[in-house]
Amino acid sequence: MAINNFPWENRPDNCKDVMWRSSQNPIIGRYATAISNSIFNSAVVPFGDGYAGVFRCDDKAVRMNIFVGFSHDGINWAISDTPIKFEPGNTDMIHSDYKYDPRVTWIDDRYWITWCNGYNGPTIGIGYTFDFKTFYQCENAFLPFNRNGVLFPKKIDGRFAMLSRPSDNGHTPFGDIFISYSPDMKYWGEHRCVMKVAPFEESAWQCLKIGAGSIPILTDEGWLMFYHGVIATCNGYRYSMGAAILDRDDPSKVLWRTRDYILAPAAPYELAGDVPNVVFPCAAITEGNRVAVYYGAADTTVCMAFGHIDEIIQFIKTHSL
Ligand code: BMA
């Protein structure tokens, strides 16, 4: 089904890259809500005749929380000034010290949300909604410490599947991507390593840690997943975006992953902000062969990049590790 209001810009004539930035970046500025210090690392899905999203807004006390937003065109957003309030879902234990870096996907009959949930340190929080009005919070997926929990948009072998990145309580100087399965969204197991960092001689931008980014997209070649990779420079961490293709039936198998990054901090709004040099993908929407990726820039704003799925797959295969 063609989406009339799919957010899209054609590749600029002078651009030779596999993906290109929106000319409207940043599409969401740091002060887009009454209380925000920054809005970034946020998730977007088609909803009704437009789009809905769950946004990470840090407030002016720099408290991290997630907020609902709506848009007709995927570019202009109305984001709530008050954080999402969750009702008990599959548990009464919905304690949360903070929430950040949400992802959203439709599975079966509802929208599922994952985020980094503060419960004695960061771990993966899970919630769901049918309408983006009432939200339910479930048991955390894992023990602390974990980040970057990203669900697959459909069950695999009858079970929910989630990528995640075990971590520590700080600015984790390590990290690989794992997959876990659940029959019921409550109990998670069969943890398998999917992808490790790359040797710095071969692909330095992803040599310190990697984390799943957008909800994987099912293509003819397997699951296309945008992820972030990090290098520790003499001046701090630098976050770039790569992509991988995981086996359709066993997504713990990486078929190809990029050696070359697809998008790295280069635009002024990626180079400067509360945390300089961060490109952090959290969502991707598609329409036919077109993909629009939403990414956080410099932990300050929300930006978009566009590409053609067949060209991205070709790029991953021809520039793979
Ligand atoms: C990670 C998370 C992300 C953030 C990134 C860069 O550990 O906190 O939310 O974008 O660091 O600061």
Side-chain angles (χ1 to χ4, degrees):
M1 189 178 69
I3 307 174
N4 294 327
N5 48 356
F6 186 75
W8 180 256
E9 291 173 32
N10 287 326
R11 177 187 270 116
D13 289 340
N14 59 357
C15 172
K16 296 189 185 64
D17 300 323
V18 66
M19 292 189 76
W20 54 97
R21 294 170 175 83
S22 169
S23 65
Q24 299 190 58
N25 279 350
I27 60 150
I28 302 174
R30 62 185 308 162
Y31 298 129
T33 80
I35 56 123
S36 57
N37 162 72
S38 48
I39 306 179
F40 57 109
N41 301 0
S42 298
V44 163
V45 282
F47 176 69
D49 51 13
Y51 300 89
V54 177
F55 294 85
R56 169 177 177 176
C57 306
D58 294 5
D59 71 10
K60 291 186 177 72
V62 197
R63 293 177 297 185
M64 304 179 284
N65 217 325
I66 56 177
F67 296 68
V68 71
F70 299 95
S71 171
H72 289 300
D73 58 8
I75 296 166
N76 295 289
W77 288 88
I79 302 173
S80 171
D81 290 334
T82 51
I84 294 174
K85 198 175 165 314
F86 285 90
E87 315 277 334
N90 64 13
T91 176
D92 289 332
M93 206 302 287
I94 60 171
H95 179 85
S96 188
D97 294 322
Y98 49 78
K99 299 184 179 80
Y100 65 88
D101 294 1
R103 274 67 166 194
V104 183
T105 187
W106 172 268
I107 312 174
D108 291 344
D109 64 348
R110 68 193 75 181
Y111 298 94
W112 288 94
I113 306 162
T114 55
W115 65 89
C116 184
N117 193 44
Y119 175 73
N120 299 285
T123 184
I124 306 303
I126 302 180
Y128 62 87
T129 182
F130 296 98
D131 54 10
F132 288 94
K133 286 190 194 124
T134 310
F135 293 84
Y136 300 90
Q137 188 171 338
C138 298
E139 283 287 330
N140 293 319
F142 306 118
L143 293 167
F145 307 109
N146 203 311
R147 292 187 177 94
N148 298 303
V150 176
L151 287 164
F152 283 77
K154 67 188 203 76
K155 290 179 180 159
I156 292 167
D157 254 343
R159 294 163 310 159
F160 296 103
M162 187 175 1
L163 300 166
S164 76
R165 213 278 309 284
S167 61
D168 67 13
N169 198 15
H171 299 294
T172 315
F174 61 89
D176 302 323
I177 300 175
F178 287 69
I179 191 167
S180 309
Y181 296 93
S182 171
D184 56 4
M185 277 285 183
K186 189 167 191 178
Y187 300 101
W188 293 85
E190 294 181 44
H191 315 293
R192 302 281 183 274
C193 185
V194 177
M195 241 164 84
K196 295 173 97 70
V197 294
F200 85 97
E201 306 88 337
E202 284 175 53
S203 184
W205 65 270
Q206 52 179 333
C207 72
L208 183 76
K209 56 178 168 176
I210 54 174
S214 56
I215 301 294
I217 299 161
L218 192 54
T219 73
D220 292 342
E221 306 277 347
W223 294 102
L224 168 63
M225 196 245 324
F226 296 99
Y227 67 95
H228 67 261
V230 184
I231 178 175
T233 75
C234 60
N235 227 358
Y237 290 172
R238 179 173 188 257
Y239 286 69
S240 306
M241 178 175 92
I245 302 181
L246 312 179
D247 185 84
R248 182 193 184 102
D249 302 315
D250 177 4
S252 69
K253 281 193 202 136
V254 179
L255 303 181
W256 301 276
R257 71 188 268 198
T258 43
R259 178 198 62 206
D260 300 9
Y261 60 71
I262 286 185
L263 201 69
Y269 45 83
E270 297 158 357
L271 297 172
D274 284 3
V275 181
N277 304 315
V278 180
V279 162
F280 198 96
C282 285
I285 55 175
T286 62
E287 200 272 325
N289 190 37
R290 303 188 294 180
V291 62
V293 170
Y294 290 81
Y295 65 96
D299 284 11
T300 305
T301 59
V302 175
C303 292
M304 294 184 78
F306 306 108
H308 296 292
I309 291 173
D310 57 355
E311 292 177 8
I312 294 167
I313 290 173
Q314 191 56 25
F315 180 89
I316 299 171
K317 288 183 178 176
T318 52
H319 299 74
S320 82
L321 258 184

